[in-house]
Amino acid sequence: MNQFNDQESGVFDDALLTTLGRQAIELPSWAFGNAGTRFKVYGTPGTPRTIQEKIADAAQVHRLTGLAPSVALHIPWDLVDDFGKLAAFADDQGVRLGTINSNTFQDDDYKFGSLTHVDPAIRRKAVDHHLRCIEVMDATGSRDLKIWLPDGTNYPGQGDLRGRQDRLAESLRTIYDRLGPDQRLVLEYKIFEPFFYTMDVPDWGTAFAHVTALGERALVCLDTGHHAPSTNIEFIVAQLLRLGKLGSFDFNSRFYADDDLIVGAADPFQLFRILAEVVRGGGLDDGSPVAFMLDQCHNIEDKIPGQIRSVLNVQEMTARALLIDTESLRAAQDAGDVLAANAVYMDAFYTDVRPALGDWRESRGLPRDPMAAYATSGYAELIAAERAGGVQAGWGA
Amino acid sequence: MNQFNDQESGVFDDALLTTLGRQAIELPSWAFGNAGTRFKVYGTPGTPRTIQEKIADAAQVHRLTGLAPSVALHIPWDLVDDFGKLAAFADDQGVRLGTINSNTFQDDDYKFGSLTHVDPAIRRKAVDHHLRCIEVMDATGSRDLKIWLPDGTNYPGQGDLRGRQDRLAESLRTIYDRLGPDQRLVLEYKIFEPFFYTMDVPDWGTAFAHVTALGERALVCLDTGHHAPSTNIEFIVAQLLRLGKLGSFDFNSRFYADDDLIVGAADPFQLFRILAEVVRGGGLDDGSPVAFMLDQCHNIEDKIPGQIRSVLNVQEMTARALLIDTESLRAAQDAGDVLAANAVYMDAFYTDVRPALGDWRESRGLPRDPMAAYATSGYAELIAAERAGGVQAGWGA
Amino acid sequence: MNQFNDQESGVFDDALLTTLGRQAIELPSWAFGNAGTRFKVYGTPGTPRTIQEKIADAAQVHRLTGLAPSVALHIPWDLVDDFGKLAAFADDQGVRLGTINSNTFQDDDYKFGSLTHVDPAIRRKAVDHHLRCIEVMDATGSRDLKIWLPDGTNYPGQGDLRGRQDRLAESLRTIYDRLGPDQRLVLEYKIFEPFFYTMDVPDWGTAFAHVTALGERALVCLDTGHHAPSTNIEFIVAQLLRLGKLGSFDFNSRFYADDDLIVGAADPFQLFRILAEVVRGGGLDDGSPVAFMLDQCHNIEDKIPGQIRSVLNVQEMTARALLIDTESLRAAQDAGDVLAANAVYMDAFYTDVRPALGDWRESRGLPRDPMAAYATSGYAELIAAERAGGVQAGWGA
Amino acid sequence: MNQFNDQESGVFDDALLTTLGRQAIELPSWAFGNAGTRFKVYGTPGTPRTIQEKIADAAQVHRLTGLAPSVALHIPWDLVDDFGKLAAFADDQGVRLGTINSNTFQDDDYKFGSLTHVDPAIRRKAVDHHLRCIEVMDATGSRDLKIWLPDGTNYPGQGDLRGRQDRLAESLRTIYDRLGPDQRLVLEYKIFEPFFYTMDVPDWGTAFAHVTALGERALVCLDTGHHAPSTNIEFIVAQLLRLGKLGSFDFNSRFYADDDLIVGAADPFQLFRILAEVVRGGGLDDGSPVAFMLDQCHNIEDKIPGQIRSVLNVQEMTARALLIDTESLRAAQDAGDVLAANAVYMDAFYTDVRPALGDWRESRGLPRDPMAAYATSGYAELIAAERAGGVQAGWGA
């Protein structure tokens, strides 16, 4: 190990290039709409009004980075009459439709729960919404149904925690049984928000228990902003990979709560550690079951370059994680040489991979600097002009 | 000290009754409007459309509890043409207008700051908004201008932290100098939200440094939901009282972030400890400068009974805090008898003061059980029927 | 539901009395030795020098409370030549030997791990230590082997997280397979300390995954001080009970980290919520598999009354939890009446059960006020006089 | 701004080199002794037995890095009969004696407080200990008396928070008044540990209030491990610099509590942000009043290379912070271009300064790679052989 990396910074080895070459990060359609806090949502010129415009924006990110070949949809926000046609539209734009996200947090009926509600009629409504999502998946060819369950309670005593779990298990069973043989259910957990006392799937343990009970095609989705302060997220990544139950990531970053900031913005070293465990656990191997997605809110920054920045950050940290000298690391670990092991690890983190990734992009006909390319592309001005009128997409639409 | 409180539970001594008799908890007008999370705001029948309807609801809380004689306004949410007339309306309802809260988080100009903005024109606009608030105070006779500054940044590098502080100091100076001799500026701090990297007044130290620089009539507002996890809030209460700078409380409770739950709902013992320090520091003495207010969001529970529950909780914990046997406590503290001191303290906390408070209410012509009285009052049904049509008040209106 | 509990406070119903009658809280032998922080361990007169003296002190707690019929041992701290004789000694004192706790954090060999160590020889040594613990169990008749695994790392890169899990699984398998048919392995988790980057069993999900892989007689131990800030512990209690994997509790309380304070001292309402879920999930039913233990450090308060206070607090909160009017609660929950449900719940919490528990004790020939009884018993003075000389027990002995 | 830093990595400009040239990081004598957790302290061969051996080890760090010209002492741990002679010894080793740290956490008298104790005799004893420290300063020529006050309480009610503050103010006044005209009192704050309910100086606001009351030569010490989770430390740095009250840093890093890990190990980006605010606020200017110190516990890693790694990390992050293109940053900030401002900031963070710092070292006759130089120096083997026998230094000696 050598803290001064002698290799020419532009040189990645073949294995690393192969891995980078297959990296794909799914963009959420909702990242292109307006988002904000409970205090204020700021609109910006050019914000999409339709799912087609969201897809067009996502395609722009892919065009400049080569990293984002698919777009996740949110149902009902992105409902259209003809999903086959929408898939064709996406294809024309150079991307494809990806994960289907169900939404059970905006109907008045779900105030006290959806899949966990005490009222069987409301539970049925929520289950049916998921079955409708699977129909969409059938039409779009999507593999994954992602369930982020917003159910929970605000006050001690408000709900029967145990009963809610039992009803959740039953609802998930009905949904899971409807999946096609190539489809998966991915269950996301979150410690709090929109509820402030309990969430019905608050932690990875709960998600793991449910998906294990469901079956092989049920997996866990890890959103990097959904943990208690101080949680070691890379440990969970390692553990879920070991258990064969890591289905996907929702990447973003946070200083406090579920801040949904640009990936890597708050704690780039944490992102490195997460990706190092992904690599260690085979999550970037050929045929890996792990899907990489973003989930973000560009409250105050421009959305398209915000997404570009995010996918580049994931790629940069992936490249760093792949640069870890695993032989030296293992040798230091086995020798109990704490400082040497840490040094090997940090050496990869501190290596500036940006020039080499610029080369990588150029070699593939992509702009060396996608942020600069976007700034000069005229796209922002174009959509600001074209998208006058109509209702800008946001979380409520 | 005796863990089995021998006193008849209904018996409060005279000093305690005097203190209870002067307790007043200000209600926020916005608590009666709809509130929610970034995911969803649920509306409910009977929600006020106007400031007059909010005042009417607040008056209902006071009528049933005798604890809430004033209503805080939010400007511009509660702007009217004639505040003198509004004050008279409040008077008719049996309450008065209280603290004026400025709002600088909902204008597009304030996206990157208000009192701290780099652009002098926007700073001026924000300062002018506060001067307008002082005009309202002149008209309503309100003593306090409360500034919760929502300014901050989301990303490292986005703003110059130092420059923002300097501009804030200058803006506050201009506002403070406009205050009348009987008016006060109360500066609230908050660790995060709506911004996720820095807030310009994130902690009590910052608020204290600013109000100390301003002068005697500048004080700190402590919102119980605005701290980092693990923060010992009662210590801050004790310290600010000692420093003569505790101006007011915004009471609510939390499990995670600024959850704005009913006071005492999440951690009743914390509320007890806070009120014990208030008592210890003279915050409930005659002529105390400390104002007691609520700041809450009744996202899923009914708003008027939510407010009733909150003021009752404050009163119940105040009564418990006043029951601490201070002589025994001091003796145990001085003797280094940890278990005895803790036992004296806990004995007050565990005493069930509810029957005695029921007596207290009856003796003053108030309903023994205000929650039950509200439920059977017909008020909820009345406003649900009367307030059809119009736009329900919320944070955006 | 009625916020003013009309029942005479001294009256518990028969079911409640039956449950109280079978409540048993195991005391840790180490609670009677000296404990402290890394900064200082304070000694006190009368601190036990031997396991026999620890048992004598524990028996004193049981004599005064009727709640603590067994004592947990820590191996090697409490190693004796003849455990049969020690069991007889305990029996003479009126208590019995309970859970056996393995200790793998004080041998120089375990600096970089015990059951997870990269070196098979050290792993074997750690496994053998557990097999020796099972031999002790055979001799004492103890049911439970509790493993709190102190293994972890301090620096990113120091260890291979995945490899450590795999080795842990293998070590646990060897230990589990040695258990007799009536013996159980209880795996405890802890977020941090003594290691500061990763712990090998940091959360309930990890413990659950391991014990599920092991088999039916492997269960999880929940220490109430071992979670990230903001974690909803009662949810985990409910979930583990639902999954049939809650083996035992280590009770204590905390404001910040693993503070090991007296149970209920930091957040009595949290203790109530935990016990409410225990009741709800059948954890206090006849034949329940859940063991209740304390794990505390009386750094500055007297140890024996510190343990008395703790078991009384558990009992008081259990009584409150048993007072929840479950029918009214269920009705309010089913109606979506948030405030009513919360009120039913809080009504139980706010009921002062202390007089009724005093009656309960008197009816069983126990002192009405065990704290006062201990203070006047002369026991403290006796042991202070008798236990002169020798080495006081602590974590290092 | 350009995300691909075109400058040759070895090229620092003159201003940057000047700043680097005057950077000095004080080492704590106690970092070279054994340290650990309450569970276990591991000893290592070669650990110093005396303050002279600690100074020799510290000098070794300075010899290899050129960054650590002084050593902080802890009184009474480092008491000697003749401090003039000790200063001469240090001088011979090429370093000097620095900050004097008082210790009031290891005397049995201080169990319930030192400067805050209710008993005037114990307070006097604690004050006298500080006066004795000032005598040491007079002898060593040290400028700073650093007070980390370990006083606090473990249980609600145990102490009178207000009275403790008043007594603290009085004690500090007596100490401050004894300082010579060139001496300073630096007051450190800490959220918790060794006490778990309150600390008497828990936050920067409290430290600031006290030092402001004392006078100009009283300042605040910021230990980077002493905050609540989620606290924005760089904001406090910026604020204290603005208020003229930042006296010194105790650098270390943490994932959970006061972990005392190697600086920059847990969150290198946080270290960057802190140093960026130091630079912004003039904390590295010529004549800056800010002292930079380490405070760490090398529980499991070798101590001397642990200190080398730490000072190098501070230097590397300082260099990165100095590379921020302040003009571009200001322009982007003023334009409200969130992404551009963040990019300028991150560009400096991601620049690999290690080769240039290797050049810097070589140009000054220092080893290019101090870690490698230490490993091959034979020093570790030498002290392991020479320091046989005696009692290794630790926190208790």
Side-chain angles (χ1 to χ4, degrees), chain B residues 172-228:
Chain B
L172 288 174
R173 166 59 57 199
T174 308
I175 295 165
Y176 183 78
D177 286 347
R178 164 62 183 82
L179 288 174
D182 298 327
Q183 293 174 337
R184 312 190 309 175
L185 181 160
V186 186
L187 184 60
E188 187 168 343
Y189 59 91
K190 183 175 183 181
I191 180 171
F192 81 96
E193 197 204 24
F195 290 97
F196 299 120
Y197 170 53
T198 56
M199 293 291 282
D200 290 308
V201 188
D203 52 24
W204 80 265
T206 295
F208 171 69
H210 279 292
V211 300
T212 301
L214 287 174
E216 275 192 10
R217 281 167 300 118
L219 297 133
V220 176
C221 175
L222 185 157
D223 182 305
T224 53
H226 287 189
H227 304 84

Side-chain angles (χ1 to χ4, degrees), chain A residues 354-395:
Chain A
R354 295 174 301 167
L357 287 171
D359 295 347
W360 178 86
R361 273 188 290 274
E362 278 191 342
S363 74
R364 298 165 74 97
L366 293 161
R368 185 168 187 82
D369 181 345
M371 292 292 283
Y374 178 75
T376 58
S377 70
Y379 188 82
E381 296 74 14
L382 183 75
I383 59 176
E386 279 186 0
R387 296 177 185 172
V391 177
Q392 296 193 334
W395 285 23

Side-chain angles (χ1 to χ4, degrees), chain A residues 1-6 343-344 346-348 350-351, chain D residues 308-309 312-313 316 352-355 357-358 361 367-372:
Chain A
M1 169 256 351
N2 171 8
Q3 79 154 303
F4 306 123
N5 203 315
D6 291 325
V344 173
M346 298 310 291
D347 191 35
Y350 283 131
T351 301
Chain D
I308 295 173
R309 183 70 272 156
L312 293 177
N313 283 355
E316 289 178 17
D352 191 348
V353 297
R354 295 174 301 167
L357 288 171
R361 271 187 290 275
R368 187 168 186 83
D369 180 344
M371 292 293 281

